[in-house]
């Protein structure tokens, strides 16, 4: 069993508990009364490289990263530095996140918010929308073709912008086949957790023109953002480098400057 498989087993167990506690119909009622989602694409496709800044307490590869007692305050600092959107880890076991983190971040910032999790059912998308998310992560490696197609369609129907994550050439083909407008190339192999910073540069040319490209994992500072731009990135997703730094707002601003 790969690391990704193990994570999804835990995700499904936690999901079953939430489904018993909060029926999908109740979530749907919340969605019906929620404000319209924010569209991240104008900012993501603007000149330069946009920063998608992440609220991330821990990771399977490095364990605990930061306490982050106040996710909303951290997100506000990211936004003050110019982040185009905020990513919030909501997976509990490996990343120490929760939907409550997303709710608090949504209340604190005006920029779009991504639910970053291992989404395998429609229920999680409805949860995301009810909690105030504007985007939702869909990991191609975690889904078969039918699941990817159906979840992508459901996300769009709910008004969410799917960030479709790929790791190799075959996964790019699958992402394009479902009509993904926003494709994230993850330099981290989720089956082994190894990071190859060259992955984005190798795969980005295979993402069709007109599809927004996100470089994920291994972005440690402005130099990596400049290299990402040269390789064709429109957006960089940055977590560990920001949550472990001293000044998140300044760090985001420096990355934006490097991407211009």
């Amino acid at each position: 069993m790969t690391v990704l498989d193990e994570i999804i087993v835990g995700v499904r167990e936690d999901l079953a508990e939430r489904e018993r506690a909060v029926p999908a119909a109740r979530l749907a009622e919340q969605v019906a009364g929620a404000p319209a989602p924010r569209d991240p694409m104008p900012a993501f496709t603007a000149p330069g490289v946009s920063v998608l800044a992440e609220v991330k307490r821990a990771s399977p590869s490095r364990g605990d990263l930061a306490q982050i007692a106040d996710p909303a305050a951290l997100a506000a600092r990211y936004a003050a530095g110019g982040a185009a959107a905020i990513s919030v880890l909501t997976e509990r076991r490996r990343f120490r996140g929760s939907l409550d983190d997303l709710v608090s971040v949504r209340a604190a910032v005006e920029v779009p918010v991504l639910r970053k999790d291992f989404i395998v059912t429609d229920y999680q998308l409805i949860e995301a929308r009810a909690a105030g998310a504007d985007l939702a992560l869909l990991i191609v490696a975690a889904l078969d073709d039918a699941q990817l197609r159906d979840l992508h369609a459901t996300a769009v129907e709910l008004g969410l912008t799917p960030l479709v994550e790929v790791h190799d050439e075959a996964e790019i083909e699958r992402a394009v086949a479902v009509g993904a407008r926003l494709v994230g190339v993850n330099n981290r192999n989720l089956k082994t957790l190894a990071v190859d910073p060259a992955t984005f540069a190798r795969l980005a040319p295979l993402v069709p023109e007109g599809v927004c490209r996100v470089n994920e994992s291994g972005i440690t500072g402005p130099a990596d953002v400049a290299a990402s731009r040269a390789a064709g990135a429109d957006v960089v997703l940055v977590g560990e480098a920001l949550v472990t730094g001293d000044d998140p707002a300044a760090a985001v601003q420096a990355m934006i400057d490097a991407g211009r």
Side-chain angles (χ1 to χ4, degrees), residues 32-115:
R38 294 161 173 81
D39 184 0
M41 298 307 285
F44 284 176
T45 58
V49 177
S50 298
V51 173
L52 175 52
E54 192 155 82
V55 176
K56 181 179 185 179
R57 291 191 179 88
S59 74
S61 60
R62 289 191 56 191
D64 291 338
L65 298 169
Q67 292 297 321
I68 313 184
D70 190 346
L74 177 59
R77 294 175 73 185
Y78 287 158
I86 310 296
S87 170
V88 182
L89 262 303
T90 59
E91 196 277 334
R92 177 176 68 89
R93 301 189 183 201
R94 300 297 187 98
F95 294 90
R96 311 285 190 267
S98 72
L99 280 166
D100 288 341
D101 290 344
L102 196 153
V103 170
S104 65
V105 167
R106 168 73 290 149
V109 300
E110 293 298 324
V111 297
V113 175
L114 164 71
R115 181 184 187 181

Side-chain angles (χ1 to χ4, degrees), residues 157-216:
E157 183 179 346
L158 287 167
L160 294 164
T161 299
L163 169 56
V164 183
E165 181 176 288
V166 302
H167 303 81
D168 59 31
E169 293 82 354
E171 290 180 8
I172 289 176
E173 292 182 6
R174 295 176 61 201
V176 171
V178 300
R181 297 188 302 139
L182 182 63
V183 171
V185 176
N186 196 342
N187 297 304
R188 186 183 303 280
N189 183 325
L190 292 182
K191 297 179 180 179
T192 65
L193 300 184
V195 175
D196 179 2
T199 301
F200 180 84
R202 187 183 82 248
L203 297 181
L206 304 179
V207 178
E209 288 296 322
V211 175
C212 189
R213 302 175 178 93
V214 185
N215 191 3
E216 304 177 20

